[in-house]
Amino acid sequence: MTATDVTETRSSAEFWFDPLCPWAWMTSRWMMEVEKVRPVDVTWSVMSLAVLNEGRDLPEEYRSMMDRAWGPVRVILAAAAEHGDKVVKPLYDAMGTRIHLGGEKDYGKVIVPALEEVGLPVELAEFADTDAHDDRLRASHQRGIDLVGDDVGTPVIAVNGVAFFGPVVSPAPKGEAAANLWDGCVLVAGTPGFFELKRSRTVGPIFD
């Protein structure tokens, strides 16, 4: 694949996120920039840090967060089941803005205002405390994990059907910088036998 092919050929991407994950939030903001500058069709899908960490020995504070992590993803899945997949991304944006930009750690206070913002019934908040859609949640989560393997967290992205963890970026690239990173992802996804690129993080999420 040439550089021209990368920039002009329509691509597909599927992006798995948990609304609680700040790194998934950063990468999703980059993916939104990519949609502006490259021909790409993005599907937004849910995975779950709570499911990912089931059965693991976790520090008490993190375990408490995982116990609370079920609520937002359950509500997103319930909203999609009743109102279609088109609500997934707007509801993610509304929740994520409150969690990551607003600093709200009480997820119960996030869910109802987010539903109101996107014009969905606030009664959907009741699904935060039920397992009514957990089978669908686990299936969505597992579909991403099956593509990329067990040794990852969020975000997971599939580029033209080839999935990997990341890219982990801070701050989220914009404009041509976003396009360049996407072009690189398309190239490595098209390389048979490619598995991993990684280096240690030196900064935290920069929410700009």
Side-chain angles (χ1 to χ4, degrees):
M1 181 177 286
T2 68
T4 301
D5 292 333
V6 169
T7 59
E8 296 183 358
T9 301
R10 192 152 201 91
S11 298
S12 65
E14 186 164 6
F15 188 101
W16 281 267
F17 66 88
D18 185 311
L20 270 63
C21 178
W23 294 107
W25 179 257
M26 299 298 300
T27 308
S28 71
R29 303 308 96 178
W30 161 73
M31 194 73 247
M32 290 167 60
E33 285 289 313
V34 174
E35 290 181 292
K36 299 175 185 177
V37 294
R38 287 292 184 266
V40 56
D41 299 310
V42 183
T43 300
W44 300 90
S45 299
V46 171
M47 65 185 301
S48 170
L49 289 170
V51 172
L52 185 71
N53 285 286
E54 280 184 317
R56 296 184 179 180
D57 185 17
L58 302 173
E60 184 176 347
E61 183 177 355
Y62 195 71
R63 168 52 61 198
S64 175
M65 186 175 74
M66 290 302 96
D67 291 342
R68 294 179 286 116
W70 290 96
V73 286
R74 282 172 166 171
V75 171
I76 290 175
L77 262 295
E82 296 190 11
H83 299 274
D85 291 338
K86 66 183 182 297
V87 305
V88 170
K89 178 58 164 47
L91 193 50
Y92 173 37
D93 291 342
M95 288 184 180
T97 297
R98 289 165 172 79
I99 293 170
H100 303 298
L101 304 186
E104 181 58 72
K105 302 304 181 185
D106 184 342
Y107 306 134
K109 294 180 180 179
V110 164
I111 292 170
V112 169
L115 289 167
E116 291 176 331
E117 178 180 324
V118 300
L120 290 169
V122 296
E123 290 78 13
L124 286 167
E126 297 172 5
F127 285 98
D129 298 317
T130 78
D131 61 1
H133 293 283
D134 281 8
D135 286 348
R136 295 182 70 246
L137 171 59
R138 291 178 184 277
S140 179
H141 175 92
Q142 193 60 46
R143 192 162 51 81
I145 293 297
D146 285 346
L147 287 174
V148 77
D150 294 325
D151 300 325
V152 301
T154 61
V156 168
I157 186 172
V159 178
N160 295 327
V162 177
F164 43 81
F165 167 66
V168 175
V169 290
S170 182
K174 295 178 174 62
E176 193 60 23
N180 290 336
L181 178 56
W182 170 254
D183 295 345
C185 290
V186 174
L187 287 172
V188 297
T191 302
F194 167 76
F195 294 105
E196 185 175 7
L197 286 171
K198 188 172 183 179
R199 65 175 181 165
S200 297
R201 294 193 298 263
T202 58
V203 298
I206 300 172
F207 302 122
D208 60 351

